Amino acid sequence: MFWLYFVIFLTACLGAGATGGLFPPDSWYRQLNKPTWTPPDWIFPITWFVLYFCMAIAGARVAELENNGLALAFWSLQIALNGLWTPVFFGLQRIRSGLVVVGFLWLAVCSTLLALWRIDTLAGALFVPYLLWVTIAFALNAEVWRLNPKEAQ
């Protein structure tokens, strides 16, 4: 049953990740002022694939356990917010709104990590790299907002 759950969770992750293909970085983003520590574009798909794989494993592990309702609710919330950020930031070109979304995403990922950890330590640990990456994303989004005051909406 684990593998069925894994496929379902991975499909949800890839669905959220598909927004990156629908709203890729374009000339608007390339012209923005960005901090010197901005990762190169090629890092993002590799990192997200690894994170999505870990997130799917964590979800599948917890799906088989009792008392998993809160953890799965938070998992669902974080993947919805994950899929929302790209259309807001790249599609609508709303830097400040993107910052709000990634802020809520950070809270949701942190809550998911804690809820997972409570019932399965490994599942919670699999969310640690994701929380780190979303922390970097929040800081990057905040810096882009600060460095582009005329574009900041």
Side-chain angles (χ1 to χ4, degrees):
M1 194 63 149
F2 170 84
W3 291 107
L4 177 60
Y5 286 132
F6 174 76
V7 169
I8 292 168
F9 281 99
L10 187 60
T11 301
C13 290
L14 296 176
T19 61
L22 296 172
F23 302 98
D26 58 9
S27 60
W28 169 80
Y29 175 73
R30 292 189 195 341
Q31 293 173 2
L32 292 175
N33 295 315
K34 292 178 275 309
T36 57
W37 49 270
T38 301
D41 288 346
W42 63 267
I43 290 285
F44 291 91
I46 294 167
T47 302
W48 278 115
F49 181 78
V50 171
L51 293 174
Y52 286 150
F53 192 81
C54 291
M55 292 161 58
I57 291 171
R61 287 179 62 86
V62 169
E64 297 183 314
L65 300 177
E66 292 183 19
N67 301 317
N68 62 6
L70 184 62
L72 293 179
F74 276 127
W75 197 101
S76 299
L77 175 62
Q78 66 78 26
I79 201 64
L81 291 168
N82 180 301
L84 180 62
W85 182 84
T86 301
V88 170
F89 188 90
F90 290 114
L92 298 175
Q93 300 178 353
R94 304 280 190 199
I95 299 170
R96 184 176 50 201
S97 298
L99 186 61
V100 170
V101 172
V102 78
F104 281 114
L105 175 60
W106 189 93
L107 290 171
V109 171
C110 189
S111 299
T112 306
L113 187 156
L114 294 173
L116 291 169
W117 194 286
R118 228 182 77 219
I119 56 177
D120 184 85
T121 307
L122 179 57
L126 286 166
F127 259 63
V128 171
Y130 182 28
L131 183 62
L132 285 166
W133 186 249
V134 173
T135 301
I136 293 166
F138 181 86
L140 181 58
N141 195 148
E143 273 300 288
V144 169
W145 183 38
R146 186 185 70 77
L147 293 171
N148 298 277
K150 292 182 182 177
E151 292 286 332
Q153 297 179 14

